[in-house]
């Protein structure tokens, strides 16, 4: 019998720096010593030397994943947050447009506009957007009182807690991308280095400045692992080169629909079922499992799917085997919906820059509460100012675009993430803009994967068309 005792303990960041923890873990690869003994022999200098040699020198970058930082970012624009959150391997929590109100001057004026002919107009527009946002809330709330009456037994406080977010959900369409927000980020040093590199390569001065500052504060905890983060010439060059191609070959046209399933594994359901047999069956190879599923009757496949889902509880994820079915979609959604959509890290997303070209949505609550005229006027003004600034600097022009404007997104995901997304974003407490997207997705998935799609968990009492009719006067002005 071995005299080796199981030990499970923390290498606490209270006792060791993130870089020392990363070295202690890295060294277990070659050293038989316990982790705490390795860590006890290290200090900041020896840890830095190790990282210079192995992580920076030999490119053994995965070691840097053991150094984790918690970064607090305050008063950064929502446009900048897009670049910050464009990193899959990190965790974020940000100020919600659903549960908080924005102050009338809580927006960022881009440094690029300093002394430009657009500076005054930009500030004027942002103030008007915020003014309209705040002015719309009381009438929208009054309208909501008629449409969402207080329930029997519901206290005044509980009713207010229900009404206030519902009103803000409607008025948030007016908030521009320049609106300031706070975001907390938990990220490891490997992902942070790349995140900073992307920020330093951004065309926006604000994002570059945030990248510089993140490198500065990050180095207080991880002095070696992120110090070489720099602007990436590949990221800079590729954009110019492909944009030039796009012009040369005239890659234009907007023939597509606003939501479409572009591509999917034709045998996706069979792959999922076969992978489940592969996992729990009797050592059969993958080809044989797929072939066996192909021989099953429709009824047997339905029963196999039913057994796969039978004991699944309310909060259980489908098994990993659902990841063997892949789908690619294209969607147009308002910026408010996209801002929530981008938080789903398990899918591949490609988004076009914010612009005014796809028009904007008009929420029903804005029209029904008598705010439509003011809303349309300021949104159209934002669209016009976008066009003017865009001729001079398209990246900076994005700051004026309010949440209600539409955006086109290409995205690919597996069936497991479809289940996760639809459950979370199709739920009644999700914002109606993203609920609409979740129902569009569910409808498309059910058509191609009827067997497994029938288990998507979303309330069955609505459709995306019904949501659109109930919550929007129009989803797209043009
Ligand atoms: C009603 C509602 C209110 C919300 N309010 C806010 C808010 O106020 N502020 C805010 O910032 N966000 C808010 N969110 C967003 C929410 O917190 C999630 O970040 C977002 O929905 C993305 O989903 P997800 O985290 O489940 O993961 P996805 O990125 O879609 O990943 C899918 C699954 O993979 C796993 N996973 C992915 N990454 C990790 C990881 N790093 N560690 C562990 N597991 C991981 C999890 O099981 C996760 O569920 C809200 C969401 C909803 C539905």
């Amino acid at each position: 019998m071995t005299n080796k005792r199981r030990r499970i303990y923390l290498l606490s960041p209270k006792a060791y720096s993130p870089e020392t923890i990363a070295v202690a873990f890295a060294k277990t690869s070659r050293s038989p010593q316990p982790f705490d003994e390795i860590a006890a022999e290290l200090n900041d200098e020896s840890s830095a030397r190790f990282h210079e040699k192995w992580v920076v020198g030999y490119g053994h970058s995965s070691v840097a994943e053991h150094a984790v930082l918690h970064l607090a970012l305050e008063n950064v624009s929502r446009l900048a947050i897009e670049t910050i959150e464009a990193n899959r391997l990190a965790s974020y929590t940000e100020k919600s447009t659903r549960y908080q109100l924005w102050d009338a001057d809580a927006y960022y004026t881009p440094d690029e506009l300093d002394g430009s002919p657009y500076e005054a107009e930009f500030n004027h527009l942002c103030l008007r957007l915020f003014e309209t946002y705040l002015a719309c809330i009381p009438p929208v709330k009054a309208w909501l009182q008629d449409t969402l009456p207080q329930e029997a037994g519901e206290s005044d406080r509980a009713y207010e807690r229900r009404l206030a977010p519902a009103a803000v959900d409607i008025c948030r369409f007016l908030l521009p991308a320049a609106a300031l927000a706070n975001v907390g980020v938990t990220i490891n040093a490997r992902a942070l280095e790349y995140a900073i590199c992307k920020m330093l390569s951004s065309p926006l001065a604000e994002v570059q400045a945030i990248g510089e500052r993140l490198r500065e504060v990050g180095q207080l905890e991880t002095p070696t692992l992120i110090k070489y983060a720099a602007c990436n010439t590949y990221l800079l060059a590729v954009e110019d080169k492909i944009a030039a191609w796009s012009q040369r070959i005239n890659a234009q046209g907007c023939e597509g629909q606003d939501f479409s399933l572009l591509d999917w594994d034709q045998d996706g359901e069979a792959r999922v079922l076969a992978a489940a047999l592969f996992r729990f069956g009797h050592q059969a190879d993958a080809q044989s499992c797929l072939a066996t599923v192909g021989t099953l009757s429709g009824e047997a496949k339905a029963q196999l799917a039913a057994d796969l889902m039978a004991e699944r509880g309310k909060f259980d994820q489908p098994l990993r085997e659902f990841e063997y079915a892949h789908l690619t979609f294209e969607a147009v959604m308002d910026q408010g919906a996209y801002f929530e959509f981008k938080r789903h890290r398990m899918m591949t997303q490609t988004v076009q820059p914010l612009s005014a070209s796809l028009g904007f949505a008009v929420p029903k609550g804005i029209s029904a509460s008598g705010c439509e005229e003011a809303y349309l006027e300021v949104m159209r003004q934002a669209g016009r100012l976008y066009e003017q600034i865009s001729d001079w600097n398209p990246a900076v022009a994005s700051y004026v675009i309010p949440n209600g404007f539409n955006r086109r997104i290409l995205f690919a995901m597996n069936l497991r993430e479809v289940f996760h997304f639809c459950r979370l974003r199709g739920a009644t407490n999700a914002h109606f803009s993203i609920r609409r997207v979740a129902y569009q997705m569910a409808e498309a998935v059910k058509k191609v994967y009827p067997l497994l799609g029938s288990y998507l968990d979303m309330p069955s009492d609505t459709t995306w068309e019904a949501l659109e009719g109930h919550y929007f006067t129009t989803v797209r002005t043009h």
Side-chain angles (χ1 to χ4, degrees), residues 387-407:
E387 299 297 350
Q388 287 168 29
I389 303 181
S390 171
D391 286 341
W392 166 72
N393 186 331
V396 169
S398 297
Y399 280 107
V400 306
I401 294 291
N403 260 338
F405 275 81
N406 289 307
R407 210 158 176 194

Side-chain angles (χ1 to χ4, degrees), residues 427-441:
T428 48
N429 66 346
H431 190 280
F432 52 83
S433 275
I434 199 157
R435 276 194 90 196
R436 171 177 163 259
V437 176
Y439 277 83
Q440 285 173 318
M441 184 186 290

Side-chain angles (χ1 to χ4, degrees), residues 85 88-99 182-183 186 317 340-347 416-417 420-421 423-425 427 429-431:
E85 291 182 351
R88 176 177 285 146
L89 298 174
S91 308
Y92 311 96
T93 300
E94 74 203 34
K95 174 172 174 167
S96 169
T97 51
R98 305 190 66 198
Y99 306 110
N182 297 344
V183 57
T186 299
Q317 302 279 8
E340 296 176 350
F341 188 83
K342 72 173 173 13
R343 293 288 301 279
H344 290 278
R345 298 155 288 182
M346 291 293 147
M347 59 176 104
R416 193 174 185 219
E417 178 72 352
H420 177 66
F421 180 86
R423 171 146 69 186
L424 204 63
R425 300 306 189 171
N429 66 346
H431 190 280

Side-chain angles (χ1 to χ4, degrees), residues 78 97-98 100-102 125 128-130 132-134 136-137 140 143 165-179 332-340 354 359-367 371 374-376 378-380 382-383 399-407 430-437 467-468 470-477:
R78 282 165 55 85
T97 51
R98 305 190 66 198
Q100 293 199 53
L101 277 186
W102 259 251
L125 175 78
R128 280 214 60 203
L129 282 166
F130 277 83
T132 314
Y133 159 78
L134 290 169
C136 287
I137 291 172
V140 166
W143 170 74
V168 177
D169 271 358
I170 293 169
C171 298
R172 79 171 196 184
F173 285 68
L174 287 151
L175 289 174
V332 172
M333 64 185 84
D334 63 66
Q335 167 66 0
Y338 170 68
F339 211 74
E340 296 176 350
L354 267 170
F360 56 86
V362 183
K364 180 91 25 107
I366 288 286
S367 310
C371 298
Y375 179 89
L376 291 178
V378 73
M379 292 292 270
R380 286 180 184 142
Y399 280 107
V400 306
I401 294 291
N403 260 338
F405 275 81
N406 289 307
R407 210 158 176 194
H431 190 280
F432 52 83
S433 275
I434 199 157
R435 276 194 90 196
R436 171 177 163 259
V437 176
L467 289 167
E468 212 170 280
H470 186 76
Y471 288 104
F472 293 95
T473 301
T474 177
V475 289
R476 201 169 149 176
T477 46

